[in-house]
Amino acid sequence: MNMATPFAEWTVSVQAHVEEALGAFLPAAGAVPHKLHQAMRYTTLGGGKRVRPLLVFAAGALSGADAIALERAAAAVEMIHAYSLVHDDMPCMDDDALRRGKPTVHVAYDEATALLVGDALQAQAFEVLAGADSVPPARLVSMLRLLAQAAGSSGMCGGQAIDLDSVGLALTLEQLEQMHQLKTGALLRAAVVLGALAGGELSASELAALDMYSKAIGLAFQVVDDVLDATADSATLGKTAGKDAAANKPTYVSILGLEPSRVLAEKLRCDAHQALAPFGDKAGRLRELADLIVQRKA
């Protein structure tokens, strides 16, 4: 779909496309081992905003990427995200019983299965991305490396480790930003860059612009999450509300306050728009996604 398609219609179309792709790329529920494969499908399919796949497809418009490469990149990023949520919800981490409006995997199945679901989804993500045959091999290797770095100790896992170690501590705003650039921002950046790389190489200036955009939306996503955790109810969020405050975790709201956090989110939305100036109209969907991230209610 081109930019003439209304944004809401485009998001629904991409979400449906990604849902179908995930269903095809995941092991069949009837394949051995049955419980593991059923649990992988349980946690990955039928829920979530699919923000990261939307970013992949929006960024693909910058480089004319084909749909097959984009669906593999989108599915891979979403599998990494889904695995992180499964592990994040386990009793040894954030210990939550609700995710996307239904029982978390360790509640619906058991803790051992939840652990294995995360492990298997992470491996499945790289298998799926490696099958993007339309991407030149050297660039595909770069894409695989990018996803690995975003998911590892210098990205998402590192941010989660800092988060766990920060419970009850009085972090500075700079420390909080560093944590969330890893925990949330790294995978959002990977989604943007993977989408663009699926179609062609990026110049240094283009990559710098996407980095600035990704940094802005990554922080904005977390700021809004913190605001919603403090203001929305569990039914709206699809997960337990108020957990951050109950666990004495540092958040933008606890450091800045509620209204200043909203102001910061709006500033970051404007920063994201400004970063995309070099791409002109081709970055329209990325701008709309920055708006969605900041203005969402759940």
Side-chain angles (χ1 to χ4, degrees), residues 175-200:
Q175 289 172 323
L176 187 66
E177 179 177 323
Q178 180 189 33
M179 177 176 76
H180 288 306
Q181 282 291 8
L182 299 178
K183 183 181 177 182
T184 305
L187 199 58
L188 288 170
R189 174 187 180 273
V192 173
V193 179
L194 285 174
L197 287 177

Side-chain angles (χ1 to χ4, degrees), residues 43 47 53 56 74 80 87 94 100 117 119 139 150 162 166 186-187 205 237 239-240 258 260-261 270:
T43 195
V56 170
I80 294 290
H87 281 188
D94 281 355
R100 293 175 173 173
V117 163
D119 294 344
R139 195 184 324 134
I162 296 171
S166 300
L187 199 58
S205 61
L237 294 178
K239 59 183 180 180
T240 306
L258 188 58
S261 294
C270 294

Side-chain angles (χ1 to χ4, degrees), residues 213 269 273 286-296:
Y213 170 82
R269 184 185 73 84
H273 277 248
L286 288 175
R287 293 187 184 92
E288 290 171 325
L289 284 170
D291 297 342
L292 174 68
I293 286 169
V294 172
Q295 296 166 358
R296 64 196 166 94

Side-chain angles (χ1 to χ4, degrees), residues 35-249:
K35 184 167 74 169
L36 175 59
H37 291 155
Q38 289 164 8
M40 290 170 69
R41 298 180 74 87
Y42 170 85
T43 195
T44 308
L45 300 176
K49 296 177 284 293
R50 309 298 190 205
V51 170
R52 290 151 193 82
L54 288 168
L55 287 168
V56 170
F57 274 82
L62 302 178
S63 57
D66 68 79
I68 295 175
L70 288 176
E71 72 180 21
R72 283 188 171 271
V77 171
E78 190 68 3
M79 286 178 185
I80 294 290
H81 176 55
Y83 120 68
S84 76
L85 298 181
V86 174
H87 281 188
D88 192 45
D89 289 333
M90 291 181 67
C92 62
M93 301 279 268
D94 281 355
D95 192 13
D96 210 330
L98 188 68
R99 174 69 68 176
R100 293 175 173 173
K102 60 185 183 182
T104 48
V105 177
H106 72 274
V107 173
Y109 292 86
D110 53 67
E111 288 186 37
T113 298
L115 183 65
L116 291 173
V117 163
D119 294 344
L121 282 172
Q122 181 175 205
Q124 192 76 21
F126 288 98
E127 180 179 341
V128 168
L129 183 56
D133 297 333
S134 62
V135 178
R139 195 184 324 134
L140 183 55
V141 169
S142 296
M143 292 169 69
L144 290 162
R145 182 182 298 113
L146 171 65
L147 184 59
Q149 290 170 341
S153 62
S154 59
M156 184 182 70
C157 284
Q160 179 68 12
I162 296 171
D163 192 13
L164 291 171
D165 289 340
S166 300
V167 174
L169 300 181
L171 297 187
T172 66
L173 190 60
E174 183 180 5
Q175 289 172 323
L176 187 66
E177 179 177 323
Q178 180 189 33
M179 177 176 76
H180 288 306
Q181 282 291 8
L182 299 178
K183 183 181 177 182
T184 305
L187 199 58
L188 288 170
R189 174 187 180 273
V192 173
V193 179
L194 285 174
L197 287 177
E201 294 284 359
L202 298 174
S203 68
S205 61
E206 288 173 331
L207 185 57
L210 290 181
D211 277 344
M212 287 190 290
Y213 170 82
S214 301
K215 181 177 180 179
I217 64 165
L219 288 180
F221 193 98
Q222 189 59 51
V223 173
V224 174
D225 255 12
D226 289 351
V227 169
L228 292 173
D229 186 71
T231 59
D233 57 32
S234 298
T236 301
L237 294 178
K239 59 183 180 180
T240 306
K243 276 188 67 68
D244 291 341
N248 198 22
K249 295 177 69 173

